[in-house]
Amino acid sequence: MKRTLDDLAIFGGPVAFREPLYVGRPNIGNRERLFARLEEALDRQWLTNQGPLVGEFEERVADLAGTRHCVAMCNATLALQVAARATGMTGEVIVPSFTFVATAHALSWIGLTPVFCDIDPETHLMDPGQIEALITPETSGILGVHLWGQPNAVEVLPEIARRHGLPLVYDAAHAFGTRHGGRPIGAFGDAAVFSFHATKFVNAFEGGALVTDDDTLARKARAMRNFGQTGQDEVSYQGTNAKMSEAAAAMGLTSLEFMPSVVERNVANHRRYMSELAGVPGLRVLPLGAGNNHQYVVLEIDQRVTGVSRDTLRSVLAAENVNCRCYFSPGCHTMAPYRTGARLPYTEAVSDLVLGVPTGMAVDDDDISRICQIIRFVVTAHGDGVRFRNGSAGRTSARQLERTPR
Ligand code: T4K
């Protein structure tokens, strides 16, 4: 329990957590089931190139995503590239800037130009109201992002895409298991791409998948992930090597079996953060809808009210062994490969405020109460003292916050 500034580890007090807590701690399922599957694969001597475990994983994922097809891949970044190629994207692609940089890199790495769109500051999702102004004769597609597992304008975006004759792909890296209006999230757009990276709530060590209801698109994607091959001696498309291995599928299947417990834990964790931090001035826990998989808990810290910046709070927590992440700061449009001087006011404002906090199976109610006690202690009464003693107002300067457009 922190009662004075001297109790904070950053100022020499005792560290609150002996073992470090992380955002993105993998949820490990049943090890015996994993090892049994690995044994099977070794006994079969079939390790990759569409083995039976990958086939089983694809069936399970398609089922949960509500789509006819699932094409499993080695990660979501390559799956996004395959999706872009298979849907015929060629020039500019409209995409939010407030996302993990993989969304933008996936496009630019294959010669496409990401055109960054601003977000709705309430949800952090790409604002469909700003998309049409970005459409030019060079536009060849829209890549929406279901950030934090939230559906990105799944009613409006398909309509905009249809009106302009553009393919719509969703980066659903955060959204596996999410539902909207009773429908699984995979049902929206021409295709959606999931990530099964170790840090995701369902993981295949590294992994990804493209899901779609479009038979032609699925066939193309299936070929493109395997060097464009459509038969043993037949190459019909340019392709890449984006195949999922049997070892990854073994982990993915094991992780899928564990998914209900993880979702239950994540929902409880999110609720706990919401209740522990309710009413703290200048602090907001991003609310998530009922169908969300709740794999991220995102705070916004408004230094104008708290007296302490997001970055200072992050340092205070890191000293206590609570390792938070500034997902996703800064916006992609300000990163070196994409900087053009264009301004996206909401993206810039929000990316200065966000802090992802630990969740998943690695934290329990007691951990969250203790994390929140430290946050409350710093934010409600001691922001000025922490800032003064820390000798810095953090990266979110008063000038930056003045341009916060809300
Ligand atoms: N689109 C979106 C919207 C995405 O968020 C992502 C990935 C993608 C596309 C691309 O998906 P993939 O191609 O990766 O399938 C991590 C993940 O590597 C990345 O998959 C994820 N999003 C992103 C949000 O987070 P980093 O660079 O922040 O990872 P890292 O190594 O700093 O790890 C994050 C935290 O997780 C650390 O605090 C430690 C903890 N951790 C990590 C690993 C790998 C563990 O405790 N154990 C582990 O094994 O990108």
Side-chain angles (χ1 to χ4, degrees), residues 158-181:
E159 174 48 29
I160 295 175
R162 193 197 52 75
R163 209 164 344 110
H164 293 272
L166 297 169
L168 169 64
V169 172
Y170 275 113
D171 176 340
H174 299 181
F176 185 64
T178 287
R179 300 178 75 84
H180 175 77

Side-chain angles (χ1 to χ4, degrees), residues 203-219:
N203 90 85
F205 299 127
E206 288 267 6
L210 178 155
V211 294
T212 182
D213 273 332
D214 182 326
D215 300 345
T216 311
L217 183 55
R219 210 169 27 251

